[in-house]
Amino acid sequence: MTDLLPTARTGGPAVLTKGSAPPAAPPQEPGPPVARGTRRRLGPGRPLPFGRLIGPVLLIAAWWAASASGYLDPRILSGPGSVISTASDLVATGRLQDNVLISLQRAGLGLFFGVVSGVVLAVAAGLSRSGEYLIDGPLQIKRAIPSLAMLPLLILWLGIGEEMKATVIALGVAVSMYINTFAFLTSIDNRYVELAEGLDLSRAQFIRKVVVPGSLPGFFVGLRLGVTSSWVGLIVVEQINATSGIGYMMFQAQQYAQSDVIIVGLVAYGIFGFASDAAVRAIERKALSWRRTLAG
Amino acid sequence: MATHPGGLITEVRPAVRTKQLVRKFGDRIILKELDLTIAPGEFTALLGRSGSGKSTLLRAVARLDHTVEGSGELTVPERVSLSFQDSRLLPWLRVLDNVILGLRGPGARERGLTALEEVGLAGRDRSWPHELSGGEQQRAALARALVREPELLLADEPFGALDALTRIKMHGLLRELYERHRPAVLLVTHDVDEAVELADRVLVLEEGLISVDLAIDLPTPRSRRDARFQEYRDTLLTALGVTQPPPTA
């Protein structure tokens, strides 16, 4: 590549100085196509369709190979084959669907309340001084306390029912939503605020046209962390006095040493986590299509 | 050189009137009891060395200086449009939505499309701001300023970030749009040629006060090669302390 460039530069003018003999080819044409690559030099490279699946697929392939070659003891970790047959058994009896459904409902409820409260708090803290003084401190403190540590108190207050489970999940989600949305909201360029004042925007218009789109990138960072933390919260609450859900199913399997059932539960968690993150990414790409970034 | 006949415009309600306008940052007084009247439809350019208070005055008239200490009277019309050195288009709104941002009443989209057509951006209404060139972004900003049918257009070095060729084109466009819509204009610039070419009245701000108030009595479009253009230019450059006054013949 390095020795191609000088050739391209000297090729043209050398012919031109002759003057009398017209060159066979136009002098500016023979630029080697290698010199001008289509790939951005400092970027991460061209995106592949479904490229994000390559990593997980390789992981499963390695697992399959290890258990098929007998390297993996089925008492330690069941092979993919037996996990799949266990999964189909669990589906046939309806046990998997019922547990998945109740888990999804818990995570969904917690996520919903967490997102709504996190965003409302971020907007309130970002747009008014009194809001910031009242809200920001307590949330920074809450951020330092893991939801797990709050569990004893929440059980004391709310019991061990569904309210407690949704609350634990929502608390974790709300904090990551708040932190990221608030950070992006307060760093909206002052020039845009000036513009909004110059254009006489009302407060509602300002929020809709400047604040919300300006803090949307932060909202999505928060949402991706929030979705992950909703699954983490789910796992925690489902292993405490639950009588249903994927976590309960796995906990029972542990009692009976059914490693294949545990794997089915883990795979279910993994699929949910991966699929929900992919969904958020897809929405993010659509909603932030105005952005030009390193990746895009 | 005729100075501006300030007494004639008291009959009509002025577009801008400041009385003893003071603005200061701490102990530094930027505007010292500045009196200024701009008539409706008058194209005024404001020159001054950097640090002379041009932007402070413009920001005061635009009422963007809440945090600045000051006193004095200030009257501005209801419909004021602002244009900045950067186009300041919101990156998350398409061009048309940027133009009609905050516009009230029915037919906003149609008015926005007309404004885009006027600045030569017809068909670009669905583009994102980052898809436009620097000059096109500034045109879109101009459309956003004019779609509001302002009585006063405040422009803070709107061509400062453009290359020389684009700037020449934008000068023609601004003057053309001004002649069609006739808002009062206060154009802050540090380019003497730009001021003489575009404005009908040029002010020089020096140490917080207006030191020169010069009416430009030339037909438009103006040629920089015109002898009288050069004369105005030399007067202003002298006032700005760039050149020495020519020896009296």
Side-chain angles (χ1 to χ4, degrees):
Chain A
M1 187 121 162
T2 39
D3 47 13
L4 276 174
L5 279 168
T7 336
R9 285 215 191 97
T10 49
V15 182
L16 278 175
T17 44
K18 300 262 179 196
S20 54
Q28 66 269 46
E29 211 179 4
V34 206
R36 206 192 117 51
T38 47
R39 183 174 174 269
R40 176 186 259 187
R41 193 172 61 82
L42 296 177
R46 231 175 305 170
L48 263 173
F50 303 107
R52 227 170 266 292
L53 289 173
I54 292 174
V57 166
L58 278 178
L59 191 68
I60 291 168
W63 174 29
W64 203 297
S67 79
S69 65
Y71 180 74
L72 209 60
D73 186 343
R75 282 170 302 179
I76 307 289
L77 187 62
S78 313
S82 69
V83 168
I84 288 172
S85 70
T86 307
S88 60
D89 286 350
L90 286 169
V91 170
T93 58
R95 222 174 118 203
L96 187 63
Q97 297 95 303
D98 290 350
N99 287 316
V100 161
L101 218 64
I102 192 87
S103 289
L104 279 180
Q105 195 187 329
R106 282 173 190 149
L109 266 176
L111 187 65
F112 173 76
F113 286 113
V115 167
V116 170
S117 53
V119 168
V120 168
L121 288 172
V123 172
L127 293 184
S128 84
R129 274 298 164 215
S130 47
E132 187 186 350
Y133 295 154
L134 289 175
I135 296 166
D136 195 52
L139 269 141
Q140 297 293 347
I141 295 171
K142 167 66 193 74
R143 183 190 179 190
I145 304 172
S147 300
L148 249 177
M150 303 271 293
L151 213 53
L153 197 59
L154 286 171
I155 291 175
L156 206 61
W157 286 349
L158 301 169
I160 53 165
E162 294 300 306
E163 295 98 323
M164 181 276 287
K165 295 184 173 69
T167 308
V168 171
I169 296 169
L171 273 175
V173 173
V175 168
S176 59
M177 289 309 299
Y178 170 84
I179 299 288
N180 291 288
T181 311
F182 180 73
F184 273 70
L185 198 156
T186 47
S187 61
I188 286 177
D189 199 327
N190 181 44
R191 297 175 314 140
Y192 295 146
V193 185
E194 217 173 77
L195 173 78
E197 285 186 340
L199 294 177
D200 263 333
L201 295 195
S202 66
R203 195 141 188 103
Q205 281 175 315
F206 175 59
I207 291 177
R208 221 171 35 170
K209 301 284 186 181
V210 181
V211 172
V212 168
S215 45
L216 214 52
F219 169 84
F220 279 110
V221 173
L223 188 58
R224 288 184 60 194
L225 292 172
V227 165
T228 313
S229 92
S230 75
W231 297 119
V232 173
L234 181 72
I235 295 162
V236 171
V237 295
E238 285 197 337
Q239 304 201 345
I240 296 161
N241 283 313
T243 52
S244 58
I246 307 175
Y248 167 73
M249 186 183 84
M250 289 163 72
F251 195 68
Q252 270 199 320
Q254 184 205 326
Q255 314 262 307
Y256 301 111
Q258 299 168 307
S259 86
D260 47 351
V261 176
I262 297 176
I263 301 288
V264 171
L266 285 178
V267 168
Y269 276 140
I271 288 174
F272 291 150
F274 193 74
S276 54
D277 190 60
V280 175
R281 273 168 180 272
I283 300 168
E284 181 182 16
R285 222 178 6 254
K286 192 114 181 82
L288 302 182
S289 55
W290 51 269
R291 282 213 300 187
R292 265 190 318 183
T293 57
L294 183 69
Chain B
M1 262 343 79
T3 50
H4 193 267
L8 289 178
I9 35 181
T10 42
E11 324 271 317
V12 204
R13 223 168 68 90
V16 177
R17 192 214 300 271
T18 75
K19 259 189 178 167
Q20 302 192 318
L21 197 68
V22 175
R23 289 292 183 271
K24 49 187 166 186
F25 292 99
D27 290 337
R28 264 187 67 216
I29 301 172
I30 307 296
L31 302 178
K32 296 173 186 161
E33 305 198 344
L34 186 129
D35 294 327
L36 170 65
T37 309
I38 297 175
E42 190 176 40
F43 198 137
T44 308
L46 182 65
L47 283 170
R49 275 177 280 189
S50 71
S52 58
K54 298 186 300 260
S55 289
T56 309
L57 176 57
L58 189 98
R59 292 178 63 83
V61 175
R63 298 183 187 281
L64 283 178
D65 59 347
H66 322 283
T67 52
V68 183
E69 212 183 321
S71 61
E73 268 177 55
L74 176 65
T75 323
V76 289
E78 200 180 313
R79 295 195 307 275
V80 180
S81 278
L82 261 162
S83 133
F84 307 88
Q85 184 167 356
D86 59 310
S87 63
R88 217 163 281 200
L89 300 170
L90 294 173
W92 46 79
L93 291 184
R94 291 178 191 272
V95 170
L96 178 63
D97 294 318
N98 261 295
V99 169
I100 62 170
L101 182 61
L103 210 59
R104 291 172 185 92
R109 294 190 79 78
E110 284 69 34
R111 281 163 64 196
L113 287 170
T114 313
L116 278 174
E117 205 172 310
E118 263 193 282
V119 299
L121 285 179
R124 304 301 298 273
D125 52 300
R126 298 275 302 153
S127 300
W128 293 112
H130 73 75
E131 292 167 344
L132 303 183
S133 70
E136 287 171 335
Q137 289 179 9
Q138 209 50 272
R139 281 164 190 262
L142 209 52
R144 179 180 60 197
L146 287 170
V147 79
R148 269 146 255 275
E149 287 159 14
E151 296 158 86
L152 173 65
L153 173 65
L154 299 170
D156 192 0
E157 299 191 21
F159 314 124
L162 299 179
D163 64 276
L165 291 175
T166 312
R167 197 180 305 180
I168 293 172
K169 275 193 180 170
M170 289 296 288
H171 285 164
L173 178 67
L174 178 62
R175 184 72 205 188
E176 188 192 310
L177 291 170
Y178 161 72
E179 273 161 22
R180 201 174 311 154
H181 297 272
R182 286 275 159 190
V185 180
L186 181 60
L187 168 77
V188 166
T189 176
H190 52 235
D191 183 343
V192 174
D193 288 331
E194 186 172 286
V196 178
E197 188 178 331
L198 292 174
D200 297 322
R201 178 186 175 197
V202 180
L203 308 172
V204 174
L205 197 64
E206 202 181 326
E207 291 179 3
L209 286 171
I210 288 162
S211 62
V212 175
D213 189 342
L214 186 68
I216 307 291
D217 189 17
L218 289 175
T220 56
R222 293 167 185 163
S223 161
R224 296 189 183 197
R225 283 189 299 263
D226 192 326
R228 291 204 293 159
F229 190 107
Q230 292 299 327
E231 215 174 294
Y232 283 122
R233 182 175 181 272
D234 291 342
T235 311
L236 289 166
L237 284 174
T238 309
L240 287 163
V242 180
T243 50
Q244 295 299 312
T248 41

